[in-house]
């Protein structure tokens, strides 16, 4: 496979071209993995033997960062050969997960998410937390580039031993990217990280994916711009447990306070996304740090309230159930569209439907029969 040489050195040995993970420029998490590679003295540069399931599990549970990174690489792999192994590792790690607070953070590009995550992450580390930062970047799978990965981000946080930053997995449709992020989150929890921040930027769908895997969902906005201008849909406001009006510093302070009041009025009329919790807007500055500790206090208040009421645990149970259905749908779709008989028949079926010769429902039924081997 000629593309082999262009793959990052931590690509599993038997990965084919379908192995899409790569290091994004400027993201320190990825570089760190590279730097921890033992430089092989034997000619086959940096090709390491694969870890066994036992080694993956033991290494993650011991908090070994290299093994943690390699285990995430394993679950991110699109190679069918890695799937069973990754699932076995996950199955064994699962009893050690669930003890972290999972926080989703969204907002338009430029709202200050990564700056805020850095400020919040540093604050959490000072408080003795271990913080994992994961990202879902829907643009990376479409364009091959990455809004989240194309600049040096979270420089201070990435140097902290108690922080672990992982760029967005690439390759595949959003559903697949979300699966990898969710599984990476569980692996980080098993490795002892007690706060996970899942960052996303997107226009609706990726926010829904993140909302479905976190306890608390934070929307980051900036003052002085309408929702439309910030690329934030009203539906995303409805998913939020809190809104942070960031960049509340300098000349922006007054505008930020006005935006906070405006959003608090708007939130008042929305049905809260979390039962028993009324979302509110807060101001903060990722630059000066003002309001950042207060934001975390909001998360802690939320956690203690929902844990007491049972809403916290109930949501997690429902998220796991919904996740099962999402995976079934995803795998059914993948099975269907990769089925040789379906692939062979699809172009003619599409043409027949477009030409008005075959009703779409009948074509769908025929294709499903082909996939079931009844064609
Ligand atoms: P992201 O795309 O949402 O991750 O946004 P970034 O964190 O990369 O920030 C975008 C720009 O806004 C950068 O130039 C930051 O320095 C700036 N920025 C972020 N937070 C603040 C803040 O609290 N105050 C001010 N004045 N600028 C900020």
């Amino acid at each position: 496979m000629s593309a082999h040489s262009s793959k990052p050195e931590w690509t599993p040995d038997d990965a084919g071209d379908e192995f899409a993970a790569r290091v994004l420029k400027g993201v320190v998490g990825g570089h760190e993995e590279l730097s921890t590679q033992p430089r092989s003295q034997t000619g086959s540069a940096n090709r390491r033997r694969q870890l066994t399931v036992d080694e993956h599990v033991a290494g993650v549970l011991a908090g070994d960062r290299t093994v943690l990174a390699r285990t995430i690489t394993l679950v991110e792999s699109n190679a069918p050969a890695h799937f069973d192994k990754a699932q076995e590792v996950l199955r064994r790690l699962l009893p050690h997960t669930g003890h972290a607070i999972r926080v989703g953070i969204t907002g338009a590009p430029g709202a200050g998410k990564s700056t805020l995550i850095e400020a919040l992450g540093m604050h959490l580390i000072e408080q003795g937390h271990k913080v994992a930062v994961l990202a879902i970047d829907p643009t990376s799978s479409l364009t091959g580039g990455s809004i989240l990965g194309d600049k040096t981000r979270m420089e201070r946080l990435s140097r902290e031993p108690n922080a672990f930053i992982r760029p967005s997995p690439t390759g595949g449709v959003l559903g697949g990217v979300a699966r990898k992020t969710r599984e990476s989150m569980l692996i980080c929890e098993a490795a002892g990280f007690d706060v996970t921040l899942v960052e996303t930027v997107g226009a609706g769908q990726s926010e829904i994916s993140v909302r479905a895997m976190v306890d608390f969902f934070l929307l980051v906005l900036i003052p002085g711009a309408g929702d439309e201008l910030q690329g934030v849909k009203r539906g995303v406001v409805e998913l939020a447990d809190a809104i942070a009006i960031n960049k509340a510093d300098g000349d922006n302070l007054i505008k930020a306070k006005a935006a906070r009041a405006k959003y608090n009025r708007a939130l008042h009329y929305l049905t809260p996304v979390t039962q028993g919790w009324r979302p509110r807007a807060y101001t903060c500055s990722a630059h000066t740090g003002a309001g950042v500790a207060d934001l975390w206090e909001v998360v802690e208040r939320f956690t203690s309230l929902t844990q007491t009421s049972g809403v916290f645990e109930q949501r997690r149970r429902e998220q796991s159930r919904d996740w099962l259905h999402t995976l079934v749908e995803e795998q059914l779709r993948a099975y269907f569209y990769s089925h040789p008989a379906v692939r062979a028949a699809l172009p003619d079926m599409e043409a027949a439907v477009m030409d008005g010769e075959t009703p779409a429902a009948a074509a769908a039924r025929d294709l499903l029969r082909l996939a079931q081997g009844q064609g």
Side-chain angles (χ1 to χ4, degrees):
M1 221 163 286
S2 61
H4 246 157
S5 56
S6 64
K7 285 185 184 137
E9 49 199 290
W10 41 275
T11 305
D13 294 348
D14 56 351
D17 280 340
E18 70 279 21
F19 189 86
R22 63 198 160 82
V23 177
L24 298 170
K25 206 168 132 249
V27 178
V28 183
H31 288 246
E32 182 190 343
E33 272 162 58
L34 291 175
S35 67
T36 53
Q37 304 279 317
R39 300 283 163 213
S40 166
Q41 281 87 26
T42 67
S44 69
N46 301 317
R47 285 273 174 240
R48 293 168 305 170
R49 86 181 164 80
Q50 291 190 29
L51 299 178
T52 64
V53 169
D54 281 345
E55 286 168 333
H56 275 290
V57 171
V60 168
L61 291 179
D64 181 322
R65 296 171 66 92
T66 308
V67 177
L68 170 62
R70 288 184 66 181
T71 306
I72 292 177
T73 300
L74 178 72
V75 307
E76 284 181 353
S77 167
N78 289 326
H82 296 144
F83 183 82
D84 288 344
K85 185 174 179 185
Q87 292 305 311
E88 178 58 16
V89 172
L90 275 170
R91 195 183 61 76
R92 300 219 349 229
L93 291 177
L94 212 52
H96 305 276
T97 65
H99 304 296
I101 305 298
R102 305 164 180 171
V103 177
I105 297 179
T106 193
K113 292 179 297 301
S114 59
T115 315
L116 183 59
I117 288 171
E118 168 143 285
L120 183 60
M122 295 302 289
H123 169 70
L124 290 171
I125 284 171
E126 275 163 28
Q127 305 233 303
H129 291 287
K130 290 187 74 180
V131 183
V133 180
L134 306 171
I136 290 190
D137 179 357
T139 56
S140 65
S141 52
L142 297 177
T143 62
S146 169
I147 291 181
L148 293 178
D150 60 3
K151 54 191 166 177
T152 305
R153 295 158 50 84
M154 304 173 210
E155 254 180 286
R156 274 188 306 148
L157 192 60
S158 61
R159 284 197 294 269
E160 288 292 329
N162 284 329
F164 182 82
I165 301 176
R166 185 75 180 192
S168 180
T170 57
V173 292
L174 173 63
V177 173
R179 168 176 79 76
K180 295 165 187 178
T181 303
R182 191 177 214 278
E183 293 178 346
S184 302
M185 181 176 82
L186 296 174
I187 296 167
C188 289
E189 289 182 10
F193 290 87
D194 66 343
V195 176
T196 313
L197 307 175
V198 184
E199 175 185 8
T200 190
V201 54
Q205 197 52 44
S206 64
E207 279 91 344
I208 291 168
S209 295
V210 173
R211 172 73 264 186
M213 67 177 87
V214 297
D215 307 311
F216 186 95
F217 195 62
L218 178 70
L219 171 61
V220 182
L221 298 174
I222 48 173
D227 293 356
E228 322 75 48
L229 294 175
Q230 296 190 38
V232 169
K233 299 210 170 106
R234 186 182 158 82
V236 174
V237 175
E238 289 170 5
L239 298 176
D241 291 304
I243 294 176
I245 313 286
N246 189 35
K247 309 198 186 183
D249 46 44
D251 295 345
N252 269 332
L253 196 53
I254 292 172
K255 274 193 279 180
K257 286 182 177 165
R260 179 178 64 194
K262 181 187 124 186
Y263 277 103
N264 273 332
R265 280 193 300 277
L267 287 170
H268 195 73
Y269 295 103
L270 293 181
T271 309
V273 66
T274 304
Q275 195 192 329
W277 174 261
R278 165 78 46 202
R280 295 191 60 80
Y282 305 85
T283 51
C284 67
S285 166
H287 268 185
T288 68
V292 173
D294 302 325
L295 266 185
W296 189 251
E297 276 178 26
V298 172
V299 177
E300 284 182 327
R301 241 185 3 256
F302 170 95
T303 310
S304 109
L305 192 122
T306 54
Q307 280 178 341
T308 306
S309 69
V311 167
F312 187 94
E313 178 60 22
Q314 184 61 25
R315 169 179 271 152
R316 283 202 171 174
R317 289 174 58 81
E318 288 171 5
Q319 284 177 336
S320 295
R321 181 200 57 201
D322 295 347
W323 183 239
L324 166 68
H325 290 287
T326 304
L327 290 181
V328 169
E329 283 163 28
E330 195 183 292
Q331 284 168 37
L332 273 177
R333 192 177 303 114
Y335 171 80
F336 176 79
Y337 283 107
S338 62
H339 194 286
V342 172
R343 289 167 64 116
L346 196 56
D348 287 347
M349 287 284 198
E350 282 179 349
V353 169
M354 286 192 287
D355 294 342
E357 289 164 9
T358 308
R365 182 202 57 205
D366 291 349
L367 286 167
L368 281 163
R369 284 189 177 150
L370 285 175
Q372 291 170 311
Q374 296 167 10

